[in-house]
Amino acid sequence: LIDRTAALLEAPGVAPWVLFKLDGGIDHLLIDEAQDTNPEQWRIVAALAEEMHAGLGRGDGRRTLFVVGDEKQSIFSFQRADPREFARMRRHFQDRRTGAEGALTTVALNTSFRSGRAVLKAVDAVFARDVARRGLTADAAEVIRHIAHRRDDPGCVEIWPPIGPSPSDEEDAWTPPVTQRLEQDPGGRLAGLLAATIRGWIDDGLWLPSRKAPMEAGDVLVLVRTRNRFFNQLVRALKERRVPVAGLDRMVLRDQLAVKDLLAVAQVLLLPDDDLTLAAVLKSPFVGFDDDAVFALAHGRTGTLWRALGAGETAPARSAAQWLAGLMAAVDYLAPFELLTRLLTHPCPADPVSGRRALLTRLGAEAEDPVDELLTLACALEASGPATLERFVHLASTSDVQVKREFDQDGPGRLRIMTVHGAKGLQAPIVILPDTVSRPKGSTGLVWPPDGDGVPLWAPRRDREDGITAALRQRADLRQEEEYRRLLYVAMTRAEDRLVVAGFHGNARVGDDCWYRLCRDALEAHPDIERVAHAGFADPVLRLSFGDITRRAPPAAADTPLREPLPPWARTVPAPEPEPPHPLTPSRPEGEEPAALPPFQAGDAGRFRRGLVVHALLQALPELPESRREAAARRYLANPAHGLAAAEQAQVLAETLAVMADPAFAPVFGPGSRAEVPVAAVIAGKAVSGQIDRLVARPDAVLIVDYKTNRPPPPTPAEVPALYWRQMAAYRAAVGRIYGDRPVRCALLWTAGPRLMVLDGPGLDAHARDAGLV
């Protein structure tokens, strides 16, 4: 779309006319986030602004160009954004506006309304050094200076000592891996230390000047360079210390634990003899076995684990076996979406309410998104082919579907962890940078000539590169390093009150030009730096502070109940919904019916054909003008699909028109009447569902009419079959729920007469009692 638009605005012979038409409707041109605009987008902007460079073209007012951007925050090179392009376009507009009315003015915006004085002092100190400022702006000599709007608010920046490997990290090759070691590696130890520190801040009521309130977990933003192993370690450490955390901001669906648990259940339903998968299901949130319970079931068994589970003597084993057996009984009759819904909404061995609650109780609220996305995938499967469980499991296990989570959907008060790219435009009172030692790996794969002209170049190894390829790769690496430093600038300026810079590393030493070293080397020489002790480190922490950062919120008053205690029913699992009874269908009454009228008396096929034809005519003809009814009825009866001979057509036509022409039936087919009215209700615990042939609702009464077309009409209502009385009694009871303010009367319209027979109220009452409708 961008390429085609740029080509349209630059095409010879076409572009001037297009720009002339566009120019007539453009008064002001605003380019926001200009540092992230790539060369192709700048081509469109330059073409649209071309007429502005010539001064006042229309003579009806002044037109303006307004470009907003900060080249220090250009971090989207994967979209071809480049701060050099930003500087080039600024020069382009300056040259074009020379001599035109209203020269281009550059306004420097150095005042920060976000960050406090301490954070901005640290940012200025870090980027005052040439090693950090390279690539930050197009002008290498530009001095980075910020002015704090919140000049009197306290704040601080801390540089924690980096965490490296410890002797316990070296594992004996002969030691069996039976000990969980998540927090023993440097990243795990830093994650635990950060989680404990945040928990301490919350418990101590750390005061936040920007919020004028004590700190909550949602006031912390943790920024990392990439979604690596440390990301998951920190989430786990925070959960263990009961710090509310929003979880991952982007995830691959098949990698999520909630999805793996659901797919494991599906795999067991497909192949119960898969012992390993069944063991995983038994330890999943749905069942909740621990290692000892699984070992007791599996050790010493003579067959499969499924057989051992079925023969289990403990209550948990029997409960798990019954639960899985119930799902297996339904797996051949339910689509994957319905099966997953049943699994998530019905009780499971670990939770008497639902499987979804069992998942969320163990995995947290962040499991909601992957579970919902898996349900969406199951829905999409039904539209693309046979929705078998085996096909669904294969699709979900191999799919690379990514889920991007919006943190606000988890509600406020949750700590956020995201990449620096994802945090662009965000801010938080406390920002933590734990991933500051890692560096970009350097450009790999293809390299492109300048400006994208020519063919891409590639060498399998660095030692195979020729001079041109090596120079281009060196140029790409240089630009990657420059963006690496701009990422640090973006990350540091997300903080409002506090900034914590930490790091961890393996056996390799901390590089001289990584984020951590850039920050520490700059602040170590700062005249206002303090060295303070920290319980988590042997070495002191560097702190640059301003104002009183030790203020704590006053202790909260003792909890007092704000409302009456919940009643007992609120904490009791509701009883299962009763199975609805088999619906009573008055239009299909049970029992012996009278014989059909000739000429349709040769078997069941003709028994109902006459009634269907007459019903259709009595439904449609009243909607037509009287002059058109006969012709329309003849066309309908002559349709070969009805299989009616000419004599049969004439007989049905005469009978139907006679019914509609009879003045006694005028109210039945007059204004306010409705045909084929569906009705459903639950009366005295019985479900009633049917369709009324004709309903007339008048202000004084309601009339229900049912057609009887293929029966010999009885001479009196007393001789009407009881099943017809029960049918009309059910209709009257259902309609009476709607029109409770007026009487409801019932009648049978015998088309063989024709004759309208009103059924009296006492008789209907008696049959309603017999049918259990009272």
Side-chain angles (χ1 to χ4, degrees):
L1 182 61
I2 293 173
D3 287 340
R4 288 177 178 269
T5 304
L8 174 66
L9 298 179
E10 296 173 350
V14 177
W17 181 84
V18 174
L19 291 171
F20 170 75
K21 302 297 287 186
L22 289 174
D23 183 57
I26 296 178
D27 293 310
H28 310 284
L29 194 59
L30 167 63
I31 300 96
D32 195 14
E33 299 290 351
Q35 76 279 353
D36 297 327
T37 306
N38 63 34
E40 288 72 25
Q41 293 167 329
W42 277 123
R43 287 169 55 197
I44 298 174
V45 173
L48 293 176
E50 188 65 27
E51 287 298 315
M52 293 183 178
H53 302 150
L56 296 179
R58 297 176 304 171
D60 57 354
R62 183 175 180 178
R63 292 177 291 172
T64 58
L65 171 69
F66 193 63
V67 182
V68 184
D70 182 4
E71 54 189 337
K72 300 188 295 296
Q73 299 190 47
S74 179
I75 59 174
F76 293 106
S77 61
F78 56 87
Q79 295 177 351
R80 302 197 64 236
D82 189 343
R84 297 174 181 82
E85 195 67 16
F86 178 79
R88 183 186 70 81
M89 290 304 299
R90 180 166 54 187
R91 293 191 299 269
H92 167 80
F93 286 129
Q94 285 175 337
D95 296 341
R96 298 293 290 167
R97 297 292 290 189
T98 302
E101 181 176 341
L104 189 70
T105 302
T106 300
V107 180
L109 302 177
N110 296 325
T111 300
S112 172
F113 293 83
R114 172 191 298 146
S115 302
R117 191 169 173 179
V119 173
L120 294 179
K121 285 171 63 176
V123 172
D124 291 347
V126 169
F127 293 99
R129 304 169 67 238
D130 292 340
V131 66
R133 194 172 58 243
R134 285 198 303 265
L136 201 66
T137 61
D139 182 4
E142 181 180 349
V143 178
I144 307 301
R145 286 286 184 271
H146 294 87
I147 301 172
H149 179 75
R150 301 169 47 225
R151 65 186 67 185
D152 297 327
D153 285 352
C156 73
V157 176
E158 292 184 348
I159 309 293
W160 289 6
I163 295 181
S166 65
S168 62
D169 292 338
E170 299 297 329
E171 183 180 274
D172 186 354
W174 299 103
T175 302
V178 296
T179 304
Q180 186 175 2
R181 303 186 49 190
L182 182 63
E183 291 195 359
Q184 292 183 7
D185 68 308
R189 291 200 299 273
L190 178 58
L193 185 59
L194 284 173
T197 302
I198 295 170
R199 182 73 259 173
W201 286 340
I202 297 174
D203 294 341
D204 292 345
L206 179 66
W207 187 262
L208 297 177
S210 59
R211 295 290 190 268
K212 302 295 188 292
M215 170 196 163
E216 297 179 355
D219 296 320
V220 181
L221 178 63
V222 180
L223 300 180
V224 296
R225 284 191 56 248
T226 59
R227 298 175 184 86
N228 51 22
R229 181 175 178 233
F230 175 78
F231 207 125
N232 297 312
Q233 288 176 320
L234 182 57
V235 170
R236 176 169 180 171
L238 290 166
K239 288 182 178 180
E240 288 179 348
R241 289 159 179 83
R242 296 175 291 104
V243 177
V245 57
L248 308 179
D249 63 334
R250 192 183 298 269
M251 64 187 75
V252 177
L253 189 61
R254 56 184 166 85
D255 292 341
Q256 303 311 304
L257 287 178
V259 173
K260 290 183 177 181
D261 285 331
L262 288 168
L263 294 181
V265 174
Q267 289 171 336
V268 167
L269 298 181
L270 289 171
L271 184 61
D273 292 345
D274 184 349
D275 289 354
L276 181 60
T277 305
L278 178 56
V281 170
L282 295 179
K283 290 190 62 178
S284 72
F286 299 114
V287 180
F289 280 17
D290 57 15
D291 287 338
D292 292 338
V294 175
F295 181 82
L297 193 66
H299 182 65
R301 69 186 187 279
T302 57
T304 63
L305 185 61
W306 171 246
R307 291 183 59 185
L309 181 67
E313 298 179 354
T314 64
R318 289 195 299 269
S319 176
Q322 292 172 0
W323 175 68
L324 285 171
L327 291 173
M328 288 178 185
V331 72
D332 290 334
Y333 304 97
L334 298 179
F337 176 82
E338 296 172 293
L339 186 67
L340 286 177
T341 302
R342 173 171 174 170
L343 174 60
L344 292 169
T345 57
H346 284 55
C348 62
D351 195 294
V353 175
S354 68
R356 180 183 286 269
R357 196 176 80 160
L359 272 178
L360 299 183
T361 299
R362 181 185 295 186
L363 302 179
E366 65 270 16
E368 284 274 14
D369 285 339
V371 168
D372 291 342
E373 287 295 330
L374 189 67
L375 290 172
T376 302
L377 188 66
C379 267
L381 181 72
E382 298 183 20
S384 62
T388 62
L389 185 61
E390 186 172 5
R391 181 166 173 253
F392 168 72
V393 170
H394 173 75
L395 176 65
S397 302
T398 59
S399 172
D400 290 326
V401 173
Q402 281 198 0
V403 181
K404 183 177 181 181
R405 304 180 68 250
E406 301 295 338
F407 288 121
D408 55 357
Q409 68 191 29
D410 290 333
R414 293 182 178 274
L415 182 146
R416 295 168 293 172
I417 310 174
M418 60 176 63
T419 62
V420 180
H421 284 97
K424 180 71 178 298
L426 301 180
Q427 62 192 62
I430 301 175
V431 171
I432 299 175
L433 307 181
D435 184 17
T436 58
V437 175
S438 63
R439 299 187 68 260
K441 297 180 180 179
S443 61
T444 57
L446 300 175
V447 293
W448 293 82
D451 304 321
D453 296 331
V455 297
L457 304 176
W458 175 79
R461 296 199 308 266
R462 290 292 180 97
D463 58 1
R464 298 288 184 90
E465 291 180 341
D466 60 6
I468 296 177
T469 306
L472 290 175
R473 191 175 301 282
Q474 184 178 8
R475 172 176 173 268
D477 290 344
L478 177 63
R479 294 199 171 187
Q480 188 180 58
E481 291 283 347
E482 292 174 349
E483 183 172 273
Y484 174 73
R485 291 186 282 272
R486 292 195 296 270
L487 274 169
L488 174 60
Y489 176 86
V490 171
M492 295 181 70
T493 54
R494 300 308 95 192
E496 298 175 8
D497 299 330
R498 287 177 173 254
L499 175 65
V500 175
V501 179
F504 62 93
H505 62 91
N507 293 323
R509 70 180 185 87
V510 179
D512 293 335
D513 51 356
C514 67
W515 285 359
Y516 183 85
R517 184 62 69 184
L518 293 177
C519 294
R520 186 177 184 91
D521 291 350
L523 295 187
E524 269 187 327
H526 198 282
D528 299 329
I529 201 69
E530 303 175 77
R531 287 172 170 80
V532 296
H534 191 291
F537 302 102
D539 297 328
V541 168
L542 299 183
R543 176 183 292 168
L544 179 64
S545 62
F546 174 78
D548 181 14
I549 63 171
T550 62
R551 180 180 174 185
R552 296 295 186 268
D559 293 337
T560 56
L562 300 179
R563 57 175 66 89
E564 293 295 326
L566 289 175
W569 60 262
R571 301 182 182 278
T572 304
V573 178
E577 291 288 334
E579 290 292 332
H582 181 70
L584 175 63
T585 53
S587 58
R588 293 195 296 272
E590 298 178 0
E592 186 67 25
E593 296 189 61
L597 270 177
F600 308 110
Q601 52 187 347
D604 287 338
R607 181 178 182 184
F608 296 105
R609 185 173 55 181
R610 182 177 185 276
L612 294 175
V613 171
V614 175
H615 269 72
L617 291 174
L618 291 177
Q619 176 183 353
L621 292 181
E623 307 298 326
L624 299 176
E626 187 173 354
S627 59
R628 295 171 51 192
R629 291 175 181 173
E630 182 176 349
R634 289 185 183 278
R635 287 195 302 272
Y636 178 78
L637 293 170
N639 190 326
H642 302 314
L644 299 178
E648 296 170 341
Q649 296 178 30
Q651 181 181 0
V652 172
L653 176 65
E655 181 178 312
T656 305
L657 295 179
V659 170
M660 299 186 62
D662 194 322
F665 306 150
V668 177
F669 301 104
S673 64
R674 296 175 58 191
E676 301 297 326
V677 179
V679 61
V682 177
I683 301 170
K686 290 190 175 183
V688 175
S689 175
Q691 191 149 307
I692 299 173
D693 292 339
R694 202 82 187 176
L695 185 141
V696 185
R698 297 196 302 264
D700 58 333
V702 177
L703 176 63
I704 299 173
V705 178
D706 194 73
Y707 306 147
K708 300 302 178 186
T709 57
N710 57 337
R711 318 286 184 253
T716 64
E719 300 177 63
V720 171
L723 57 94
Y724 293 160
W725 279 94
R726 291 195 297 270
Q727 174 189 3
M728 302 308 289
Y731 281 154
R732 187 185 67 163
V735 173
R737 295 288 185 89
I738 304 172
Y739 301 99
D741 58 340
R742 64 194 86 170
V744 179
R745 296 170 182 160
C746 301
L748 299 176
L749 177 57
W750 305 96
T751 60
R755 181 185 178 191
L756 187 68
M757 181 181 290
V758 178
L759 304 182
D760 62 75
L764 291 171
D765 293 339
H767 284 88
R769 286 192 295 270
D770 294 342
L773 298 174
V774 177

